[in-house]
Amino acid sequence: MSRIPGESVEYEWEEVLTWPRHVSSTLHHLFGAICRNVSQTVNYVSKEIFKKGPFHMTMLPKDFEILYNDPVYQFSQVKKITVVCSNEHQVRAMKFRFPYDVNKTTFVTLDELLRTLQEINQNTAKEIRRVYEEHCQSEKSAISRKLCCTELFGCPMNRSANITPESLCSSCELIIQQAFHLKCDHFVCKICLHTKTKCQVCDKDISFQAALHDEDKSFTIRTSSVVCFACEWDGLTKEYSSHLSSAHPLLLAPVIEDQPNIDCNTIQISRNGTCIWKISGVEFIKHNAVLKKQASIYSPAFYIHPKGYKICMRLYVNGDLTGEDAYISLFYVIKRGEYDDTLKWPFNLQVTFTLIDQSSIENENGHVVKSCCPDKNSACLCCPQFDMNDAYGFPQFCPVAVLGNESGFVQDDTMLIKVQLQTPAEETNAIPSRGIGQRARDQEHVTNDVGEDIDALISV
Ligand SMILES: [Zn+2]
Ligand SMILES: [Zn+2]
Ligand SMILES: [Zn+2]
Ligand SMILES: [Zn+2]
């Protein structure tokens, strides 16, 4: 598949693709064999080792980790392995974890892979991209489905469907779950009541105290029929939210990743105040934090609700302030957003962080959960004057030791952190610990020699 230009061609490479999902037949001509998992790949190579080869394998990072520990990896006939990473960050993280096999293994992003495939035509390149994006989406959907919180702020509506305007929140335009009747006679959903300053229809001030929960209205909406905005499904509004969480989990709670090369320009929107941050390359991030090369990382930003606040998370895997060298520090950061003029300040929502134990993802007792109440006087929660405010949250989120090798909090070099925003009045028993957040020290501790450091490691 990827022949180095100028290389003398004495033999035919046997191209082996390891891919966890079905690959469309348009790509079959590129590969001698397509395997669904590493054990199939290992079987194939062992069987064909004297008949074919040398072998060039193409696979994903997860599969490479398995192959790396298999004797087949050492076979001299296995000449080249191309590992397709999701972004530059993952390429660096993989090089950091597997530094000694540069002659055999190359870690590339999808774009780099496509650049090296010179003989392929545009349609094939497009197809490879599509197959890869499909893979990423289904990975994210699986995470989101497992962690999804079904309580919605509101349901996105199908524009072409016959839905009465009265069913929609006058502010965020989602289908209302709990209707609140404003003094001006317009209706808003619960989260808009808590976060918006003015009625979007008549521009009158929204008074939280004067708004009434309208039971009849809520009932009428719940029992009206609706069409899904993302597929053909139709049914009653009260069934719609469970349809959304099972069929379109990413539309409710987006899974965001560091520097993704797909969709990097679209800011994700949560429909239920929940977002899952997938952090890959944890070992590398930890290494940099311990050496104070880069103490913290930020998540991509997202909107917590349509027309709502824009926030991101900030993580110090080796701690900050009172947590330094002993705790993981976890904060959220309010960023300047498009709708800030219409929102209430200071920010007044309760934020719950959950560090997920991936070894028993459904067992909620295993996760580390902490909720953070807003402090009205903190500058971190004011309307941002610049690109972003200082971070606010927990210097001592949990002991650093939980990220140890045996723990379920890091799997495949990946951590999952869920953030969930709620109106502060909501008391739930599921939250074992709560407290007032603290401001992070606003210090980057970033040095620029991280790249050189890897090069030094690799050249050893
Ligand atoms: Zn609303
Ligand atoms: Zn109004
Ligand atoms: Zn649907
Ligand atoms: Zn280093």
Side-chain angles (χ1 to χ4, degrees), residues 298 314 316 320-321 389-391 439-444:
Y298 289 96
R314 186 172 188 180
Y316 294 73
D320 181 44
L321 297 169
N389 287 351
D390 287 339
R439 181 171 176 265
R441 173 169 53 188
D442 190 32
Q443 209 176 321
E444 288 289 349

Side-chain angles (χ1 to χ4, degrees), residues 108-326:
V108 297
T109 61
L110 182 69
D111 288 332
E112 285 164 344
L113 176 78
L114 290 173
R115 248 177 273 136
T116 58
L117 297 174
Q118 286 150 350
E119 304 115 69
I120 61 163
N121 63 38
Q122 279 306 304
N123 286 340
T124 312
K126 239 177 161 169
E127 186 58 18
I128 292 175
R129 206 173 276 283
R130 195 194 63 76
V131 165
Y132 189 77
E133 285 177 16
E134 189 183 86
H135 159 75
C136 296
Q137 281 304 103
S138 80
E139 289 256 287
K140 285 182 176 180
S141 293
I143 294 170
S144 188
R145 199 167 283 123
K146 280 182 188 160
L147 294 174
C148 196
C149 135
T150 49
E151 211 234 309
L152 282 166
F153 291 163
C155 296
M157 70 124 190
N158 187 329
R159 297 254 161 219
S160 61
N162 218 354
I163 190 145
T164 55
E166 289 90 70
S167 298
L168 302 180
C169 169
S170 59
S171 174
C172 66
E173 294 173 8
L174 297 180
I175 298 169
I176 299 179
Q177 304 287 294
Q178 279 177 284
F180 286 86
H181 198 161
L182 301 177
K183 233 166 59 183
C184 60
D185 232 16
H186 296 116
F187 289 90
V188 288
C189 71
K190 191 174 178 186
I191 190 74
C192 288
L193 175 67
H194 276 87
T195 58
K196 292 285 176 172
T197 52
K198 279 181 174 10
C199 173
Q200 301 291 289
V201 184
C202 65
D203 212 37
K204 292 220 171 75
D205 288 345
I206 291 179
S207 160
F208 178 72
Q209 282 75 17
L212 291 171
H213 183 208
D214 191 327
E215 301 272 0
D216 294 342
K217 174 91 176 170
S218 302
F219 180 80
T220 312
I221 296 171
R222 275 203 298 277
T223 50
S224 62
S225 60
V226 69
V227 179
C228 176
F229 91 126
C231 75
E232 307 278 282
W233 183 92
D234 58 31
L236 295 182
T237 303
K238 63 179 177 188
E239 292 147 4
Y240 184 29
S241 63
S242 58
H243 164 74
L244 286 169
S245 58
S246 61
H248 318 290
L250 284 174
L251 292 172
L252 303 186
V255 174
I256 54 174
E257 265 184 282
D258 191 37
Q259 306 165 348
N261 56 8
I262 297 160
D263 274 345
C264 55
N265 294 320
T266 53
I267 294 184
Q268 311 244 35
I269 304 169
S270 170
R271 264 89 184 187
N272 61 5
T274 305
C275 179
I276 298 148
W277 183 16
K278 182 182 172 196
I279 306 160
S280 53
V282 173
E283 199 178 311
F284 185 49
I285 293 167
K286 244 161 85 180
H287 171 87
N288 286 333
V290 169
L291 293 188
K292 318 282 181 207
K293 281 173 179 293
Q294 182 173 352
S296 70
I297 55 167
Y298 289 96
S299 78
F302 71 102
Y303 283 102
I304 66 157
H305 175 240
K307 303 191 182 171
Y309 299 100
K310 183 176 169 186
I311 72 165
C312 70
M313 284 165 273
R314 186 172 188 180
L315 169 73
Y316 294 73
V317 275
N318 198 46
D320 181 44
L321 297 169
T322 56
E324 197 163 348
D325 294 326

